[in-house]
Amino acid sequence: MRAETLTQEAPLRQHKKKVNIAKRRQYAAAYALSMPFMVMFALMIAVPLFYAGYLSFFKKQLIGGVSFVGMDNYVRALTDPSFLGGVGRMALFLVIQVPIMLGLSLLFALILDSGMLRLQRFIRLGVFLPYAIPSVIATLMWGYLYGKDFGPFAQLAKALGLPAPDFLAGGNVLFSIMNIVTWGFVGYNMIVMYAALRSIPAELYEAARVDGASEWRLAWSIKIPAIRGALLLTTIFSVIGSFQLFNEPNLLRVIAPAAIGQDYTPNMYAFQLSFVNQDSNYAAAIAFLLGIVIMAVSYVVQLTANRKERAS
């Protein structure tokens, strides 16, 4: 009886052994395929991040060289008007620009998804095309358009006998930058939302239309609630992009130095500290605090969205 049982269990053990070998091979293949990414992530992100954190706890002095100062750089940053002013400016940028940009993106996505337009592919490509233009090129182009002495808007105003608008004046330059960023990223966010809309089952629309729902009702009651994930994703990406703003104000500073200072945004300030003032330790602390601000705002956005979803 014992021998008979062992004979029956032998094939089962062999099968389990083969399954375990197959799993090990799958795990080995998965690790091998993911290893290039992990190596690049470690070299390009993790190691520089830890090194920047290490630098932020030190200070370079003319007398005494580099010394450990603990949290002094962070305390200095929290009382630095240049850093706080840049963060506040970007917070204002976020509150005004992001809702406008995402609102336009959602509007274009809903219009394209409704199927009421002709030449949809051409229109979709036209809205997305500005995103394909590098931000440096886009800023140079808009800088020319904004020019008070040579720009087409100024030339048109002079032809009409009107004073030339100064888009790069101190009180206008932030809104001019908002326009550049909105022009460049509406198409990207539209594509994300449009792809989410196309994944909604058509049966929902058919059932709603049978009940007499209009296109507006479909959009408000079915489409927008169904793409909350895409809306949250684009919002978080926009929060990150707002606080990391660099190219646009840095390039416009050449033609509007009176309106855009070296500390106009936190990223510009950190760049100035590190590569011009040679104060990489304090710049590292500024960068870490900026990352904390971004994480905090992103968390609040996600928490608010989750609460609204549970409430509904």
Side-chain angles (χ1 to χ4, degrees):
M1 188 71 179
R2 175 69 176 172
E4 188 175 327
T5 304
L6 292 174
T7 304
Q8 293 176 351
E9 290 180 351
L12 182 59
R13 287 197 299 269
Q14 290 292 331
H15 176 71
K16 288 182 178 180
K17 186 176 180 180
K18 290 180 180 179
V19 170
N20 291 332
I21 293 174
K23 286 184 178 180
R24 291 194 192 100
R25 289 177 178 174
Q26 289 178 353
Y27 291 151
Y31 284 124
L33 291 173
S34 62
M35 189 57 64
F37 168 78
M38 299 302 295
V39 171
M40 294 302 296
F41 178 84
L43 293 177
M44 300 299 176
I45 297 180
V47 173
L49 189 64
F50 282 111
Y51 182 63
Y54 170 79
L55 288 178
S56 67
F57 294 108
F58 291 83
K59 184 178 181 180
K60 185 183 294 184
Q61 299 173 332
L62 293 176
I63 300 176
V66 178
S67 60
F68 179 78
V69 294
M71 301 295 294
D72 287 0
N73 286 326
Y74 293 93
V75 174
R76 175 187 170 190
L78 292 175
T79 58
D80 188 342
S82 295
F83 173 66
L84 297 178
V87 172
R89 198 173 292 113
M90 291 304 95
L92 178 63
F93 182 94
L94 169 67
V95 170
I96 298 176
Q97 187 267 339
V98 170
I100 294 174
M101 177 182 65
L102 296 184
L104 290 173
S105 301
L106 179 60
L107 177 62
F108 284 126
L110 290 172
I111 291 174
L112 289 172
D113 186 67
S114 66
M116 296 186 297
L117 294 179
R118 297 181 180 180
L119 303 175
Q120 285 200 31
R121 293 183 179 178
F122 178 78
I123 295 173
R124 185 168 67 243
L125 178 61
V127 177
F128 180 77
L129 186 60
Y131 176 73
I133 299 174
S135 60
V136 173
I137 303 300
T139 304
L140 293 175
M141 179 189 72
W142 279 100
Y144 166 72
L145 295 176
Y146 288 150
K148 186 177 180 180
D149 299 321
F150 49 82
F153 295 129
Q155 297 298 326
L156 178 61
K158 291 178 181 179
L160 297 175
L162 301 173
D166 191 358
F167 294 105
L168 299 178
N172 301 328
V173 67
L174 184 62
F175 298 98
S176 299
I177 297 173
M178 290 180 187
N179 176 64
I180 298 174
V181 176
T182 300
W183 179 81
F185 283 89
V186 162
Y188 168 80
N189 292 299
M190 177 206 70
I191 290 297
V192 174
M193 297 176 190
Y194 179 71
L197 286 170
R198 300 303 295 174
S199 66
I200 301 175
E203 292 80 4
L204 295 177
Y205 302 151
E206 295 173 0
R209 289 191 178 98
V210 169
D211 293 336
S214 62
E215 289 298 326
W216 165 254
R217 187 67 177 175
L218 284 175
W220 183 256
S221 300
I222 297 179
K223 294 184 178 182
I224 294 178
I227 63 169
R228 282 178 178 169
L231 293 174
L232 178 60
L233 178 68
T234 53
T235 301
I236 292 177
F237 282 173
S238 300
V239 168
I240 297 172
S242 296
F243 283 104
Q244 290 184 338
L245 192 67
F246 180 81
N247 282 340
E248 292 80 3
N250 191 51
L251 290 171
L252 290 178
R253 182 171 170 267
V254 177
I255 57 178
I260 302 177
Q262 298 172 343
D263 56 354
Y264 193 77
T265 71
N267 262 354
M268 289 179 63
Y269 187 43
F271 179 87
Q272 174 72 20
L273 288 170
S274 182
F275 297 101
V276 179
N277 298 351
Q278 299 299 314
D279 191 357
S280 57
N281 302 101
Y282 185 45
I286 291 287
F288 260 81
L289 282 178
L290 179 61
I292 293 173
V293 170
I294 293 173
M295 287 190 294
V297 175
S298 300
Y299 177 75
V300 170
V301 170
Q302 187 170 4
L303 185 63
T304 304
N306 291 338
R307 284 181 177 178
K308 289 183 177 180
E309 186 173 358
R310 286 195 296 267
S312 59

